[in-house]
Amino acid sequence: MRTTLSVIKADVGSIGGHIKPSAKLKETVERFVREKGKKLLLDCYVSSTGDDIALLMTHQHGVDSPKIHELAWDAFMAGTKVAKEQGLYGAGQDLLKDAFSGNVRGLGPGSCEMEFEERPNEPFVFFAADKTDPGAYNLPLYLSFADPMHCAGLLLSPKMAKGFSFTIMDVNHTEGDRVIELNAPEELYDIACLLRDNERFVVESVHSRAGNEIGAVVSTSRLHNIAGTYTGKDDPVCLVRVQGGFPATGEILSPYRIGHYVAGTMRGSHNGPLMPVKLNSAISFFDGPPSVTGAAFCVHAGKLTEPVDLFDHPFWDWVRNNVSQKAAEIRQQGFSGPAMLPYSELEYGGVVEKMGQLDTRFIVRKQAQAAGNGRKKTAA
Ligand code: F6R
Ligand code: MG
Ligand code: MG
């Protein structure tokens, strides 16, 4: 049977700042999807990660189905109404347009979708991240699908011996989808060369080269590029099929032990380590740390099992302690150097405005002035 997995997510309001949606908001969105999607969907799972609500929906309408996208849009609209009634912070934040127009892409919510012929047993992992952007998945996907230091299957499983192909998007190109397809292992250095720049080049999908099967998809939209001004970070979602010809669940999780530094956290303008957290976690220290949840499922004839919370295990408590230390370390240097994002990535206009004002006060020294450090001479 051909099944489509669609994840559509948005931040439509939260309690106490950009922290966590209210239970009533989540319930409203979930009830809406279940009732209005009765005929459309085979199943759904609604969760939150930080201030974002994600709808994981299974159906048979393929990717980019206007009906599915409209259902999600309407559910977030219904949620926004409740968020406004409750006075939640940032109510309707990610719904950038007044009306739905065929696809949530470009309207604010993030989405990632994959369609495949179900295997007799079909395990997959759903990741959702908050206070960061889509490039946060670059390193984990590279390590899981292309590096035998994390994916033993690349050496041990003949099913994976041909490797995987990466479709990478240039997210700075806003006039259309600018993408490149590169093959691992032959083009590993080219892949790395692009993926080192998380803000510009983002893994959109990964396919197995043995069967040209879809293995992973990431939401690549950048709110920054859609709205022009700050509207929140993109808080990306990702789906990964696991086992058999794909990396095992544990190989997919292995890179999350690193807590690699990603863009995001406070005001979407800093670097912080990505912390694997339990499902439905809130946000805390310095509007972060950037957080990722992982839910494992099996899907059969479009029906989902209950989720397994992948980061709810004693091992990840140890990781969280280490990541907290990394978060505290980089915060020691406040705005300096790599702690704050470069000029082009700042999500707020304050620094840009200030630079404009300061620019008019800069002088270019004449040679005679240089000898006196360029300062006006005063009487001794
Ligand atoms: C980052 C984020 C928060 C806010 C910060 C200020 O993605 O959502 O760090 O940027 O809390 O929020 P405002 O400007 O809404 O007061
Ligand atoms: Mg928010
Ligand atoms: Mg968010």
Side-chain angles (χ1 to χ4, degrees):
M1 163 174 160
R2 281 197 83 71
T3 298
T4 310
L5 304 181
S6 295
V7 178
I8 303 185
K9 51 88 25 193
D11 170 359
V12 290
S14 49
I15 301 176
H18 297 272
I19 304 295
K20 186 177 180 165
S22 68
K24 191 168 175 196
L25 165 54
K26 248 172 97 174
E27 279 157 26
T28 305
V29 172
E30 176 152 9
R31 201 175 326 115
F32 190 101
V33 178
R34 288 196 184 278
E35 279 171 18
K36 305 284 180 197
K38 215 172 242 160
K39 293 207 179 114
L40 214 49
L41 302 180
L42 295 170
D43 210 346
C44 76
Y45 165 72
V46 178
S47 62
S48 67
T49 302
D51 59 10
D52 295 283
I53 297 180
L55 319 176
L56 165 62
M57 299 170 283
T58 65
H59 56 93
Q60 291 199 287
H61 302 279
V63 302
D64 282 335
S65 156
K67 286 184 204 156
I68 300 294
H69 281 236
E70 189 167 21
L71 173 68
W73 176 267
D74 290 345
F76 287 126
M77 288 294 268
T80 298
K81 196 164 163 275
V82 168
K84 284 186 176 157
E85 281 163 14
Q86 286 194 301
L88 297 190
Y89 193 68
Q93 178 188 283
D94 283 358
L95 306 185
L96 303 179
K97 303 276 157 78
D98 294 331
F100 178 74
S101 58
N103 193 302
V104 293
R105 237 179 295 125
L107 303 184
S111 67
C112 72
E113 304 177 270
M114 50 163 66
E115 185 186 7
F116 49 79
E117 191 65 37
E118 266 186 21
R119 295 173 284 176
N121 38 63
E122 185 62 65
F124 72 93
V125 177
F126 159 50
F127 291 106
D130 190 31
K131 302 293 182 269
T132 186
D133 57 21
Y137 295 115
N138 278 0
L139 185 64
L141 289 173
Y142 171 86
L143 295 175
S144 298
F145 281 92
D147 186 345
M149 294 291 283
H150 286 264
C151 184
L154 295 170
L155 307 181
L156 298 173
S157 167
K159 288 185 192 161
M160 293 168 71
K162 285 197 177 145
F164 293 90
S165 75
F166 286 72
T167 306
I168 297 168
M169 184 183 282
D170 174 358
V171 293
N172 277 3
H173 187 86
T174 47
E175 295 85 51
D177 290 353
R178 186 164 184 259
V179 293
I180 187 171
E181 204 178 305
L182 294 169
N183 285 328
E186 305 91 292
E187 297 175 300
L188 266 188
Y189 295 168
D190 298 321
I191 295 171
C193 194
L194 294 178
L195 296 190
R196 59 158 213 99
D197 186 350
N198 289 332
E199 307 324 306
R200 175 156 183 203
F201 298 107
V202 172
V203 176
E204 180 196 55
S205 60
V206 182
H207 286 79
S208 73
R209 292 174 70 194
N212 195 28
E213 284 268 323
I214 183 88
V217 281
V218 176
S219 60
T220 49
S221 60
R222 297 203 64 200
L223 285 169
H224 183 54
N225 294 341
I226 300 169
T229 52
Y230 180 77
T231 38
K233 266 276 174 246
D234 318 286
D235 306 337
V237 282
C238 170
L239 287 166
V240 187
R241 293 170 80 195
V242 290
Q243 309 293 146
F246 300 112
T249 309
E251 289 164 339
I252 291 296
L253 295 184
S254 172
Y256 290 93
R257 169 251 175 279
I258 299 168
H260 64 298
Y261 287 108
V262 296
T265 184
M266 179 56 71
R267 296 181 186 274
S269 302
H270 294 81
N271 280 312
L274 186 66
M275 181 181 277
V277 296
K278 295 178 192 176
L279 295 177
N280 305 307
S281 287
I283 288 298
S284 187
F285 172 66
F286 202 61
D287 281 6
S291 301
V292 60
T293 54
F297 293 89
C298 279
V299 59
H300 188 63
K303 287 279 169 213
L304 295 168
T305 58
E306 72 270 29
V308 172
D309 188 346
L310 290 170
F311 296 130
D312 184 5
H313 182 279
F315 176 82
W316 298 102
D317 291 334
W318 174 76
V319 170
R320 281 188 277 271
N321 279 338
N322 292 337
V323 174
S324 296
Q325 194 141 4
K326 286 184 73 168
E329 288 296 340
I330 195 156
R331 287 309 317 135
Q332 302 255 50
Q333 64 179 73
F335 57 81
S336 180
M340 195 181 261
L341 292 182
Y343 198 70
S344 57
E345 287 298 325
L346 296 174
E347 300 270 0
Y348 281 72
V351 168
V352 178
E353 257 172 48
K354 243 180 210 63
M355 290 297 284
Q357 290 157 8
L358 293 176
D359 198 53
T360 61
R361 292 178 53 192
F362 271 88
I363 55 154
V364 179
R365 282 181 188 143
K366 298 203 174 70
Q367 254 179 353
Q369 276 178 311
N373 272 342
R375 308 201 73 172
K376 282 184 195 135
K377 293 233 168 67
T378 47

